[in-house]
Amino acid sequence: MSHEIKTPLNALAGFSEILITPGIDDEVRAQCNDVIRLNSDLLLHLVNDVVDVSCLDVANMRFSVVPHEVVALCRNVVEMLRNIKQTSAEMIFETELSALEMETDPCRLQQVLINLLVNATKFTPAGSITFGYEIRGKELYFYVKDTGIGIPADKIDKVFERFVKLNSFIKGTGLGLAICRVIVER
């Protein structure tokens, strides 16, 4: 569970600390409040999902699909991770659009993107992590590319299984990518 909840907890702690900094203006205070609210909601969803996945109760995972602006969501995810990442790798968001609306569950989409990017930060101590999307017809494909150690070709399918860790020295339970797979499949 530490892999799943560490990112929003770090954001909550970091932005709460900024809120008590003397002399910050109202705009910064409002931005911090938005990040704290967003990560509080995410943390609640993550805890529920980790329980669901670890109990093999994914059939009951709930989704709330609505029209949502995803470029802003992606920018927020990248900005949040830039502020709390534990790597010196540069995080890059590639987009040619200023806005793009799609039917999605914004909390679930954010959860998948955070899991993918946090995973990339674990295995990319330096260099770059590039995140973006491609529009293919009426479908949107997200991608994460990095200069990290990579995944051996014969292990790619394994990383999306529950409790699988290819490197036992890296923190985490092996649930992050399994949760991503379940959400995307659902």
Side-chain angles (χ1 to χ4, degrees):
M1 284 182 59
S2 66
H3 169 70
E4 295 303 316
I5 64 176
K6 194 174 192 176
T7 300
L9 280 177
N10 283 336
L12 289 170
F15 284 95
S16 296
E17 217 28 64
I18 293 171
L19 279 178
I20 62 170
T21 303
I24 64 168
D25 60 35
D26 288 340
E27 183 179 343
V28 171
R29 190 175 305 281
Q31 289 172 345
C32 288
N33 190 45
D34 289 344
V35 171
I36 289 169
R37 190 173 336 108
L38 179 74
N39 281 281
S40 296
D41 291 342
L42 177 63
L43 187 57
L44 178 61
H45 289 290
L46 287 173
V47 170
N48 288 334
D49 288 346
V50 170
V51 170
D52 287 346
V53 170
S54 63
C55 295
L56 304 177
D57 189 20
V58 296
N60 294 323
M61 190 179 282
R62 293 178 304 276
F63 290 82
S64 178
V65 177
V66 296
H68 193 79
E69 205 293 297
V70 295
V71 173
L73 183 143
C74 292
R75 288 187 197 286
N76 288 339
V77 166
V78 169
E79 190 58 34
M80 178 183 61
L81 289 174
R82 277 186 185 138
N83 290 324
I84 61 171
K85 67 180 181 171
Q86 297 178 351
T87 176
S88 63
E90 179 184 10
M91 192 164 293
I92 303 161
F93 174 48
E94 295 182 330
T95 183
E96 295 178 3
L97 303 173
S98 59
L100 176 64
E101 190 171 283
M102 69 178 274
E103 296 276 329
T104 189
D105 181 323
C107 292
R108 298 291 184 192
L109 176 59
Q110 178 178 332
Q111 183 179 359
V112 168
L113 299 177
I114 287 172
N115 280 343
L116 292 173
L117 289 166
V118 165
N119 200 63
T121 65
K122 287 181 175 184
F123 299 97
T124 311
S128 64
I129 299 167
T130 304
F131 161 61
Y133 57 85
E134 296 175 4
I135 301 172
R136 299 180 195 164
K138 292 187 176 191
E139 295 181 335
L140 190 61
Y141 291 81
F142 292 95
Y143 61 85
V144 177
K145 300 184 281 187
D146 61 57
T147 58
I149 61 172
I151 303 168
D154 62 329
K155 305 282 187 198
I156 289 176
D157 291 339
K158 296 270 186 225
V159 299
F160 292 98
E161 293 177 10
R162 291 181 184 101
F163 306 110
V164 169
K165 290 176 60 176
L166 298 183
N167 183 335
S168 60
F169 298 106
I170 300 292
K171 289 183 182 179
T173 60
L175 284 176
L177 294 179
I179 289 171
C180 289
R181 187 193 78 222
V182 168
I183 292 170
V184 170
E185 287 174 351
R186 290 283 316 275

